[in-house]
Amino acid sequence: MAARAIWKGVLTFGGVEVPVKLYSAVEDRNVRFRFLHRKARQPVKQALVNPDSDTVVPWAETRRIFRSDEGAQVLLDSDELEELKPEPSRTIDVLSFLPPKAIDHRWYDRPYYLGPDGADDAYSALIGALEGKQREGLAHWVMRHKEYYGALRLYDGYPVLMSLRFRDEVIDVSELRPPKGKALDRKELSMARQLIDMLEASFEPEAYRDEYRDRVLEMIDSKGKGKRVKRSPPSRKKSTGDLRAALEASLRGVGNGKKKSTGQKAK
């Protein structure tokens, strides 16, 4: 199925304008359910209910309240909040260009592909400029009344716009409590490094699946066909308090696993 654009805009930097389309680079694959009344098996819906009178309150008759940590309360109308939203725009402004890896992964939020919107020459020129300079742009835009900052970069020859989290959304590492455990002795440190070397591998995303989602879909398929679903409790690994024993057991387990894998390939 071909990707569908979710938004259109014009990427600008230094007087250059590139009409682009935004495509989501990720997809929500959560399994969705509808709620039914347990006995009547009829669909139910959520409603706003007055807890004192147990009556449904229409959305138009609601107001919003903000409670501070100190207990103060401030009433707000929807119209007041609407006036504070940023003005709609179709412009993606590239504010500056940064060295590669200047923005670390903590700031990343959601990736979008940028496709051409009619001006193929300008789009190709953008790709060529990004390839030649080995830089990533810091961009700002407003999409559907929401303000975004993002990192503009290339991935396999396609421009990608990675939306960024705001400063107060990222927890600084200085706020974490430093570890207080004792340092590893020489043998434990050697085993830990050996274990890391033995577990070295390339990243293969197809090997990592949402196993819970797979089990849910399998159950839905089985029940839809009238089959009985058997559920087995998940196995739990026992933990030992001895770090050295755990490292030695891990090294044996990884080593045995590699031997079995090698033997299977040799057949």
Side-chain angles (χ1 to χ4, degrees), residues 62-79:
T62 62
R63 295 183 71 186
R64 300 190 185 189
I65 188 170
F66 176 81
R67 288 188 174 93
S68 69
D69 295 337
E70 294 76 22
Q73 299 185 152
V74 180
L75 283 172
L76 299 167
D77 286 324
S78 297
D79 292 343

Side-chain angles (χ1 to χ4, degrees), residues 144-160:
R144 297 168 184 162
H145 295 284
K146 185 177 179 181
E147 187 176 23
Y148 294 88
Y149 285 89
L152 174 66
R153 60 181 58 168
L154 287 184
Y155 177 76
D156 279 355
Y158 286 92
V160 173

Side-chain angles (χ1 to χ4, degrees), residues 178-193 242-244 247:
K180 295 182 179 180
K182 68 172 185 177
L184 299 180
D185 62 32
R186 185 175 298 178
K187 185 174 181 180
E188 290 170 340
L189 185 59
S190 175
M191 286 191 294
R193 288 173 173 168
D242 190 335
L243 176 61
R244 180 172 296 189
L247 286 168

Side-chain angles (χ1 to χ4, degrees), residues 2 50 102 118 176 183 199 205 229:
N50 186 321
L176 301 178
L199 290 171
V229 179

Side-chain angles (χ1 to χ4, degrees), residues 7-20:
W7 190 74
K8 292 183 178 183
V10 177
L11 185 77
T12 68
F13 61 99
V16 178
E17 296 187 352
V18 185
V20 293

Side-chain angles (χ1 to χ4, degrees), residues 77-88 145:
D77 286 324
S78 297
D79 292 343
E80 293 175 318
L81 293 171
E82 198 69 27
E83 291 175 358
L84 300 179
K85 289 183 178 180
E87 291 293 326
H145 295 284

